[in-house]
Amino acid sequence: MPILELAAKFGMYAMMAAILIFALGVVTLRNLFHCALCLAAALIGIAGVYWVLQADYLAAIQILLYVGAVVTLVIFAIMLTEHIAQKTVRQNNSQSPLAIAALLAFTALLAAVILKTPWPVNPKMLNLKVSVMGLGKALMGVYVFPFEVISVVLIAALI
């Protein structure tokens, strides 16, 4: 195995471990502002994974939409709410054992479904590269009607 391929795999696993650590920080830290910062870091890490997997469009959307808009809105809401940025929230829940049991059952079910599903691989599709330009032309050409319907539904939901 070439050294660059080994370094890329190590970097990818390190990035996924960092995402997992930040995701755990989102749900375990007591300070809401720190939770929001961990959420931003986790979402940036996910954009990095998209970038490594050569999904440049998804990486850009992840940064612009989630980190740039959603996390910024959450941080502004935390900072504009009076004295909530300094408070720590007690992390004690009486339903934790039930939640852990449900999580383990869901993980077992998901693993069983993934392992029993046949995943057909088309060799021609493995080398297919879709550029952002091609995606834009498809959205404004063949798929323009569904694209506009989705935009109307999203605007209605926003209103």
Side-chain angles (χ1 to χ4, degrees):
M1 180 180 292
I3 190 75
L4 280 175
E5 188 176 330
L6 186 64
K9 282 187 179 185
F10 177 76
M12 184 71 161
Y13 289 131
M15 193 177 339
M16 288 189 286
I19 292 169
L20 184 62
I21 290 170
F22 283 122
L24 287 172
V26 171
V27 296
T28 59
L29 292 176
R30 293 177 179 226
N31 191 325
L32 288 176
F33 185 71
H34 294 160
C35 291
L37 291 178
C38 283
L39 178 64
L43 292 174
I44 289 171
I46 292 171
V49 170
Y50 287 149
W51 181 69
V52 169
L53 294 174
Q54 297 177 351
D56 300 332
Y57 179 75
L58 288 177
I61 293 299
Q62 179 80 16
I63 295 287
L64 289 174
L65 191 65
Y66 291 110
V67 179
V70 173
V71 173
T72 303
L73 180 67
V74 168
I75 289 176
F76 278 152
I78 290 171
M79 294 186 75
L80 290 176
T81 305
E82 186 176 344
H83 303 293
I84 199 169
Q86 289 85 16
K87 287 187 179 177
T88 58
V89 180
R90 197 174 58 124
Q91 296 288 335
N92 188 6
N93 190 346
S94 63
Q95 296 179 347
S96 293
L98 180 63
I100 291 172
L103 173 68
L104 292 175
F106 178 71
T107 303
L109 176 71
L110 189 62
V113 168
I114 288 173
L115 292 175
K116 289 182 181 178
T117 301
W119 300 97
V121 177
N122 188 352
K124 288 190 279 186
M125 300 305 268
L126 290 176
N127 295 328
L128 183 66
K129 300 289 183 200
V130 178
S131 67
V132 177
M133 179 72 78
L135 184 63
K137 285 183 180 179
L139 283 177
M140 291 297 123
V142 178
Y143 300 108
V144 70
F145 183 71
F147 183 71
E148 292 300 325
V149 169
I150 289 174
S151 67
V152 169
V153 169
L154 289 174
I155 288 174
L158 181 67
I159 292 172

